[in-house]
């Protein structure tokens, strides 16, 4: 749990860095990629911390991993790496969705117990 908390916090920090770079150091499509990545990564870093406080096991992992894959590919493309990385971005999105589904299942089980 401690490691996941640290990773979620670092994910939030990376989102702030990417968002700031997008707002002040990038233009055009790179700026949009940074903005989108930062927004999704920040929301899911916070969601991971909330899920951890709820005692969930898998949703925080999926939120952090999904945020890294989803936002990370956008960040890399914004920095000039090949656009084929955009084909990997949806994998991160699927992980984020799975994190929400796991959170819902965990919350339903907790309520039923």
């Amino acid at each position: 749990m401690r490691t996941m908390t640290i990773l979620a916090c670092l994910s939030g920090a990376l989102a702030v860095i990417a968002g700031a770079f997008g707002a002040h150091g990038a233009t055009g499509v790179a700026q949009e990629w940074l903005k989108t990545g930062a927004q999704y990564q920040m929301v899911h870093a916070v969601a991971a911390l909330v899920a951890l406080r709820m005692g969930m096991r898998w949703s925080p992992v999926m939120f952090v991993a999904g945020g890294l894959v989803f936002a990370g590919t956008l960040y890399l493309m914004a920095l000039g790496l090949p656009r084929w990385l955009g084909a990997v971005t949806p994998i991160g999105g699927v992980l984020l969705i799975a994190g929400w589904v796991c959170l819902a299942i965990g919350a339903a089980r907790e309520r039923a117990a």
Side-chain angles (χ1 to χ4, degrees):
M1 185 164 140
R2 180 180 173 160
T3 300
M4 188 52 54
T5 300
I6 293 167
L7 290 173
C9 291
L10 292 174
S11 182
L14 181 58
V16 173
I17 292 166
F21 182 61
H24 302 289
T27 58
V29 70
Q31 185 177 44
E32 291 302 314
W33 286 334
L34 289 165
K35 179 180 176 181
T36 299
Q39 181 180 12
Y40 274 74
Q41 188 172 20
M42 181 59 75
V43 166
H44 289 89
V46 172
L49 292 170
V50 170
L52 284 165
R53 295 286 288 167
M54 293 173 64
M56 301 299 164
R57 185 181 316 184
W58 289 106
S59 52
V61 172
M62 290 184 200
F63 288 148
V64 171
L68 182 61
V69 172
F70 182 87
T73 55
L74 294 176
Y75 300 159
L76 291 172
M77 290 189 308
L79 294 173
L81 271 72
R83 288 188 179 213
W84 63 260
L85 285 168
V88 178
T89 307
I91 295 169
V94 169
L95 287 170
L96 296 175
I97 293 165
W100 286 109
V101 171
C102 283
L103 186 61
I105 291 168
R109 286 182 179 163
E110 183 178 282
R111 181 78 173 144

